[in-house]
Amino acid sequence: MRTLAYAALVASVPTVAIAGTACPAPEPIATGAITQPPPLLTDAPRVTAAEIAASPALTRITSRGAVLYRLKEEHGLRGVFARTGDQFRVFYLTPDDQAEIGGVMWDASGRNVTRAQVAEIPGAIPTAHWAPAPLPSSSANDDLPHSDAVVDPVARLAAAHFGVDGRQNAPRVYMIIDPLCPFSTRAFGALQPYVESGKLQLALVPVAINDHENGGASTPAAMQMLSAPSQEMARAWRRISDVGHAVPGQEPDAAASAELTLNLAAAHAVKMRGTPTLIWKDKTGASRQETGMPDDIAQFLASLPS
């Protein structure tokens, strides 16, 4: 993990910047059915006009109308929360105030420092409200409290709502995605040659975790995917990616909202940290899980059953 913040700059996605190879999931994961854009901020400390005028970096950030709120200094970097309407982003300033870094800061222990900072700002982190039905437990887990029960991520996602892409007899890899997460889209494209060659089958599990970053656009996109037949879900995602949002004029099925909520509950149960998350059974029958694209594709493919 990194101690310095950095930005993953993604064209046409006016969101909080993302670090690493995945769109980070808020904790708790928000259910798309109830997520709303952040309310007006009233309690966070504002950056003053004098501070902005004295800082070339802050002047640049505010040049397009952003309102700035002060975050606590972390690891020697001052942070600001910049908001324009319903869109917001976090920046960290260099010590000389000449440059700004848009991104998410992670510390050496893997803690999302940025999330902890913005959690103090009303509305910056969406809230989850769900009551998923308890899963049947095996005899080995019958005496454990629910929070300590061992969840097999492959079995948990097999009970979720997904669409398949690839040959029927290919090794299945579950892929939890937010359809508007650019890292999900890139991973899907990167894995296509291996899907087409029969090395793996992707089971796409749509969720919506980026609504607080894209003005609520992830939920209708995910619901549109869930409304497609299983074999057509990948094609539906490609159409959504082409336009950057849910395709106009295609109303979701009545069950899509409930299916999305169940998928989010499944993602929560397997402790998803971001999208994409890959989950599969390896050659030994053990469940494997990785956030983002594997660093070594050859090693990942070699781990799949023959």
Side-chain angles (χ1 to χ4, degrees):
M1 292 297 180
R2 300 159 176 83
T3 57
L4 291 179
Y6 63 99
L9 300 178
V10 183
S12 77
V13 184
T15 67
V16 172
I18 342 171
T21 59
C23 297
E27 297 177 9
I29 300 168
T31 56
I34 59 141
T35 299
Q36 299 295 330
L40 293 176
L41 303 177
T42 56
D43 300 330
R46 291 275 293 268
V47 178
T48 67
E51 290 175 296
I52 294 170
S55 168
L58 294 180
T59 301
R60 275 192 298 273
I61 296 171
T62 57
S63 63
R64 296 186 180 182
V67 178
L68 302 185
Y69 299 85
R70 189 179 296 104
L71 300 177
K72 291 184 297 185
E73 182 175 314
E74 292 280 358
H75 298 281
L77 297 177
R78 289 191 298 127
V80 293
F81 181 100
R83 177 169 183 148
T84 308
D86 288 334
Q87 304 299 322
F88 60 85
R89 192 171 181 185
V90 174
F91 293 89
Y92 293 94
L93 307 180
T94 56
D96 61 4
D97 267 301
Q98 298 295 312
E100 68 277 5
I101 306 166
V104 178
M105 180 184 293
W106 302 81
D107 67 15
S109 68
R111 182 176 71 98
N112 187 329
V113 175
T114 301
R115 184 194 177 278
Q117 289 178 307
V118 302
E120 300 176 3
I121 299 176
I125 299 295
T127 306
H129 298 281
W130 62 40
L135 293 174
S137 58
S138 66
S139 57
N141 293 327
D142 284 343
D143 296 329
L144 291 175
H146 179 70
S147 61
D148 294 332
V150 177
V151 175
D152 179 348
V154 171
R156 185 67 179 87
L157 292 184
H161 297 272
F162 58 87
V164 294
D165 184 33
R167 299 178 189 175
Q168 187 65 31
N169 60 349
R172 175 171 291 181
V173 177
Y174 289 91
M175 184 175 173
I176 306 175
I177 61 99
D178 182 307
L180 299 185
C181 166
F183 294 113
S184 294
T185 304
R186 291 173 193 170
F188 183 52
L191 291 173
Q192 278 307 294
Y194 309 107
V195 172
E196 293 169 3
S197 65
K199 291 183 170 62
L200 61 91
Q201 178 198 73
L202 285 177
L204 303 173
V205 183
V207 298
I209 64 169
N210 282 5
D211 275 333
H212 61 299
E213 300 178 359
N214 58 32
S218 285
T219 288
M223 289 173 61
Q224 199 165 87
M225 285 186 66
L226 288 164
S227 300
S230 175
Q231 300 292 337
E232 295 294 319
M233 194 178 287
R235 185 175 300 174
W237 188 13
R238 292 187 183 98
R239 288 195 294 267
I240 290 167
S241 296
D242 286 343
V243 297
H245 49 73
V247 178
Q250 297 185 12
E251 293 299 318
D253 289 346
S257 179
E259 292 172 352
L260 178 58
T261 299
L262 291 173
N263 278 6
L264 285 160
H268 180 68
V270 302
K271 304 187 187 311
M272 181 191 76
R273 296 183 58 190
T275 55
T277 290
L278 302 179
I279 294 177
W280 71 98
K281 292 278 190 184
D282 66 16
K283 289 180 176 179
T284 69
S287 292
R288 304 274 290 274
Q289 181 166 336
E290 185 154 349
T291 302
M293 275 292 290
D295 293 331
D296 189 328
I297 293 291
Q299 188 176 50
F300 161 66
L301 295 172
S303 75
L304 298 175
S306 301

